[in-house]
């Protein structure tokens, strides 16, 4: 067991466990936490740990509150660049050569929802809720992030989640396919670890080849370069806008934002 | 409020409403109606209307009967060309820089199903039914139209809908993901407008960037040019066939068609 | 009716029926059986049979046990090459110019699951179960095979099926979308044949054009050549591994395998 | 040696030779001639003939005049569909599992230029000229045809050829890369046959794998379905236009066309 | 004839001529000039002008000096966004439904080289030189811009041009395929206008369909979304760098830059 | 300066030089040499060396003889897998974040030709010749390797080179675009180093972004998964063939091979 400030890393036989341990900040996805998770996955890969579980501590009400808003870049700079620490963590999970299971108790907000969907399987209990909130801030989500959602959920569900920013509760999440298994809070850990152990007994090289192929087929969707640049301009017009400034300010001042489309 | 013959256009604050108003023709998707809808969306875009609702009048039994069969081109000409008015309407909805909600009471047939699926979200009541019927006519559906279906529904569901031409009722439509919310007839309008108002309060530039990215990721699937031409030949053999003539004739004569595969 | 050793072929009006008839080998997908099915489809296509049903005999407990393990190539050779007979059968079904319906009673294992998903629609009764088991053998599934799964099922369901190799029962299969209709055993055949007859009455040229377009949109996903070669190397490292040898040996010796990731 | 009316087929050891033998019609690419060539390639493939030479008879002034204008379909029908006999011949050459060499003496017009570029190598003498003339007729060339040109020539050269319809002489053709080798008329046949013999001595399976990979990399460029349908509409507006009628009429009446862009 | 400050627009029958008329600023591609050119193309399209010639005034030594460096955005903002006026002009030319011919006398620098390559054909005289200079400034060129170069020139030539920033003279430009025709200064205008007139007599709808298809096949190359975002990050690290600041400063101070890779 | 057995590595200011130093084996691309080159590039990248020159020692008659035939895998195993050391070296060069210049004196055979084309620019003297020889061995070249050729050379030239296995001399190589500059032997080194120094003075971050974008646009061409597997089967039929065995045997026995297409 190793404590890394914002996360704790345990290894239980073939299974690695990453626990988010920053409840004071509601497990916000700070740069520090993201670098620690990415490093944990690098280290698991070296030790050839077969299955990884990503979880929060028991009994928290918030699994993770998502982006650390205080760390968002100044308006005018793309807040979701490829090199940003959260993006690196998402890729570390998606490219990990073995299954990664998210174990969810409590609410999952914003970028943390992307983090959960980037895991291969999701086990959750009845306290779990999921919301994706960039339209509350005026933050234009990015192409790969949206691909993570439409690779996992029906597109009309994705649109409802993104356009309303409303949370889905555990039952809805099961129905929509956000989660694989819904358990009671009491059974959550046991159920998750049993699933992990079952997968850890299977042929790891075949598993790695299958996961990587699914990753390629889901995440590498080609888009014409011109289309991409057009969309990036739309995104730029949003992250350079007064609305984005207003959205972040309103969030920090805990008041509703007033957007004007400018 | 403006009456355009086949449709009525209202604006309620940030929300635009397009109502199909041609029950005498069972709201068939005539060229006139399609041009009017496309124009309405152009005008909403200019006024930066944030959310659009597309609906029929209350208490109709048919939301829309789909293509106006009397306007289908003569056999030998592609009945689903890019420039045809319905195709332009579908693109106007898909490219609109804000959410479009279909509000459905009654039955939805043929091209009207494509119209509904082209909306971002669908709210329907228990009278709603959905059928896609080109195999009753011998009409070879087109690539982008099929992409609209497989971008929204599981492919085995799409095949069942297309190959049987059987209607799905409201409960099945919910289960299959055709609709986001199923309400009672009494609550349909209030539910839909509440959803629209919620979305209208969110950051519009971020919304537009997200919608356009989802559009690109769903609708721009690349296909090799040679494959496309091969498929277009298959489609041509259908729209030049005796069966297509028979299908249209049988429909207009209200008798079952006798297809011979020629 | 024609008996081909491992299968029987019947034609009932516009409907062709292929029945797996090798219960002694639990309908394993041997080269002989695959060549016979591919030939049956070629012959149906010549006769322009409109709809095909693929089924096992009534009352078997195993619909098909999947690959015939005794026919897998020696380690070092790709066990899932494009030219292998099962792959040819899958393509014969996917390219057939009319609907193919799988009618499932009993359990479906490994490659037989791919066979069922390659049919356009699936009707099953309450005895049906579905498992995909390459991680029990250490066999690295291939790109098109995985595409067959993610074209039909949510990717987190695909991952659960592949990474656990656990069977899904009929109710779960319905919920996950593996099957279109769940019936009682008593009604299975009648329900399936009624569905087939309905489809056989529709316009066949339009049907063929629609099916081929759906095939292209589902199965021809482009991948960068370099990415493909990278993934093929991952697959090679698995099919050249000691684990693959161990997986096959353990299966034949009916003992659990001990994988070491080498 | 076999005479097929419009062509003659010879086999010289490992080398097959197809000779265009319809000088009375200036070797126009009639349906009859195209079907004969396609059949010749099918037959060579069965006999595993290693290298094919495509040529006209010695001393003709026109190698081929291109499309047989009298066989073009009525306006309103796509004149360059996937199933048209010339298109099938082009694919038979491009997919032939061994090198195909065009041996050119005299002028090459319209579709015959596409035929020559579809050969793997081109040997020509100083009488050779090459012109691509659809803008003289108002005929909208198709996607795969244009791909054949831009896969072989610089795009500004392709545009000059298509937009001016001017012939390139042999020296220019060499400089632009239309031809691999420029010889004297006296040496043309000896040079071509020596090249063919050299290639016939190489490993045929490796050759076939290399040619097919080059074919895939050159000819299967993916285009978004929506873009393809948009372009097909542009093409339709041309082949349904008065200009196309005018272009064909003017050609047959041997007068300059008067195009009005309608 | 209309004078728009930085450009002059003439129409000569079916041929439109845009002349760059800002020699005092060496025809730098200022926002004002770009908006004027884009507007000119919009207006030509309305009048259905068949062929456009883009030229500078006779006897200038600099055809265009490229980007107006004083208008480059502050470091940190992408200097080559989709919505920037030069990018819009490039697209206006590439999408124009008729041939556009660049007529070049004098030197062509930086973005003006992209402008010339975006024309369909290039006629130049012996004073013409071409250089592409972003590595002198530290400016990371964008994907579509690079696509314009590799769609027209061999990639090792593109690399030599970009990595050395050295000018190619007229003879080299001809050899490399930058230009279609090299004439004397005396004949430049007559040669260009004769070429334009020839193209103006051809069928315009067929021409438009051919040009648009070539545009799609050249410019819409698909790239995986994740790869695009990775590359955009590389570009961001350059346009946020001290080197970019240094490059621009050195240019304005007319001294050699000292780059440190930071 | 460091001597690594088969190569020598020098650093001259901003310029790194890799010299092949195994003339006894005619600089065959052995695993040892490839690992050393890959390692050299890794080390250059760490030191941020701006430009790399890849060369042989002066006055050798063979720059490199290509694959070390004695190290080719046994028949049945893909001889050109993604993980093979030569493939890794090719990628190390293509992904290096600065220009790589091949400096060529003497003949370049087989895989060494791919190595030279993988460099960004090529400077050669009049002794240089280039041949690509897999059809002499029966070795089926791979997709990315062919992409390296068609990304650099006209496809009819690529076919002539591959199908004849004949060497191109220096003048032809210049004309075909294999090389950027042709110099005398006396000036080769000075000319190359001057070119390298010029590029080393330019902005390195912009250079890296430009090179990587060109790499992506050239090398990541998407191919449908099914097409890739089909082509891989064609390649397998070649590397499992008797002809491949014969080709390798004949090479080692220095006699002409007798291929039978089996
Ligand atoms: Ni609701
Ligand atoms: Ni049923
Ligand atoms: Ni030089």
């Amino acid at each position: 067991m190793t404590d890394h400030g914002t996360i704790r890393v345990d290894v239980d036989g073939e299974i690695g466990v990453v626990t988010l341990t920053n409840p004071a900040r509601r497990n916000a996805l700070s740069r520090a936490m993201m670098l620690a998770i990415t490093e944990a996955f690098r280290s698991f890969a070296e030790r050839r740990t077969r299955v990884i579980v990503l979880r929060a501590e028991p009994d928290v009400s918030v699994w993770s509150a998502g982006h650390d808003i205080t760390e968002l870049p100044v308006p005018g700079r793309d807040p979701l660049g490829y090199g940003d620490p959260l993006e690196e963590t998402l890729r570390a999970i998606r490219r990990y050569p073995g299954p990664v299971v998210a174990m969810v108790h409590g609410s999952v907000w914003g970028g943390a929802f992307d983090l959960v969907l980037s895991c291969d399987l999701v086990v959750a209990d009845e306290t779990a809720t999921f919301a994706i909130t960039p339209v509350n801030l005026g933050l234009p989500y990015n192409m790969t992030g949206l691909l993570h959602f439409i690779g996992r959920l029906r597109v009309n569900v994705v649109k409802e989640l993104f356009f309303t920013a409303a949370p889905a509760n555990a039952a809805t999440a099961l129905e929509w396919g956000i989660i694989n298994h819904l358990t009671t809070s009491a059974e959550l850990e046991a159920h998750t670890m049993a699933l992990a152990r079952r997968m850890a007994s299977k042929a790891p090289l075949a598993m790695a080849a299958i996961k990587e192929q699914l990753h390629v087929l889901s995440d590498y969707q080609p888009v014409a370069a011109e289309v991409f640049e057009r969309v990036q301009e739309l995104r730029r017009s949003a992250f350079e806008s007064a609305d984005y400034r207003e959205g972040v300010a309103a969030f920090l001042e805990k008041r509703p934002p007033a957007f004007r489309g400018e």
Side-chain angles (χ1 to χ4, degrees), chain A:
Chain A
M1 189 210 99
T2 330
D3 190 327
H4 298 265
T6 54
I7 65 168
R8 189 176 66 240
V9 175
D10 299 270
V11 177
D12 170 0
E14 312 273 32
I15 299 166
V17 180
V18 173
T19 307
L20 311 183
T21 57
N22 195 8
R25 304 274 306 161
R26 301 194 305 160
N27 287 331
L29 306 174
S30 63
R31 304 177 75 83
M33 183 190 274
M34 292 303 100
L35 295 173
I37 297 181
T38 302
E39 173 57 23
F41 274 82
R42 206 196 48 67
S43 155
F44 287 139
E46 256 174 27
R47 277 178 290 171
R48 300 172 155 225
T49 305
R50 294 208 184 161
V51 179
I52 313 298
V53 172
L54 177 62
R55 55 171 296 179
E57 290 172 304
D59 299 323
V60 292
S61 63
V62 178
W63 192 84
S64 165
H67 281 89
D68 188 328
I69 308 294
T70 62
E71 288 184 356
L72 281 181
V74 290
R77 189 172 194 269
D78 192 333
L80 294 169
Y82 181 87
D84 293 330
L86 170 56
E87 301 293 316
E88 289 188 348
T89 299
L90 297 178
R91 290 195 301 273
I93 294 172
R94 290 175 166 272
R95 294 176 181 171
Y96 191 76
V100 180
V101 185
M103 172 184 139
V104 179
H105 171 93
S107 51
V108 174
W109 297 93
F113 193 173
D114 199 342
L115 187 71
V116 165
L117 285 184
S118 292
C119 295
D120 297 300
L121 285 85
V122 181
V123 183
D125 69 21
E126 67 281 356
T127 67
T129 66
F130 300 87
I132 182 75
T133 51
V135 295
N136 287 345
L137 290 174
L139 183 151
Y141 224 65
N142 61 350
M143 201 72 121
T144 51
L146 289 165
L147 213 37
H148 299 163
F149 280 82
I150 61 170
R152 281 277 272 105
L153 305 175
R154 286 202 317 270
V155 74
N156 61 327
V157 161
V158 172
K159 285 173 170 175
E160 182 169 342
L161 286 164
F162 268 94
F163 293 163
T164 66
N169 65 23
T172 303
L174 182 67
E175 190 189 316
W176 284 352
I178 296 171
I179 66 189
N180 289 58
H181 294 270
L182 178 57
T183 72
T184 61
S185 295
E187 292 169 322
L188 177 62
E189 183 166 341
H191 192 102
T192 306
M193 295 310 286
L195 178 66
R197 273 191 299 274
R198 180 182 178 107
M199 296 192 290
S201 71
K202 304 299 179 182
L205 295 174
M207 208 97 127
I210 289 166
K211 174 164 172 180
E212 181 60 17
Q213 289 181 90
L214 291 171
H215 169 54
V216 162
L217 290 170
S218 306
D219 287 0
Y220 281 24
Q221 187 168 339
V223 173
E226 189 180 301
V227 171
F228 206 100
E229 293 185 357
R230 177 167 63 75
V231 161
Q232 179 66 4
E233 183 78 12
L234 269 183
R235 295 186 64 246
R236 178 162 83 171
S237 70
F239 67 67
E240 288 182 352
S241 71
D243 274 2
Y244 178 46
R245 248 173 285 235
E246 164 65 8
V248 172
F251 180 91
L252 296 175
E253 297 163 17
K254 306 193 181 194
R255 59 167 174 84
F259 294 120
R260 291 175 313 159
E262 281 160 18

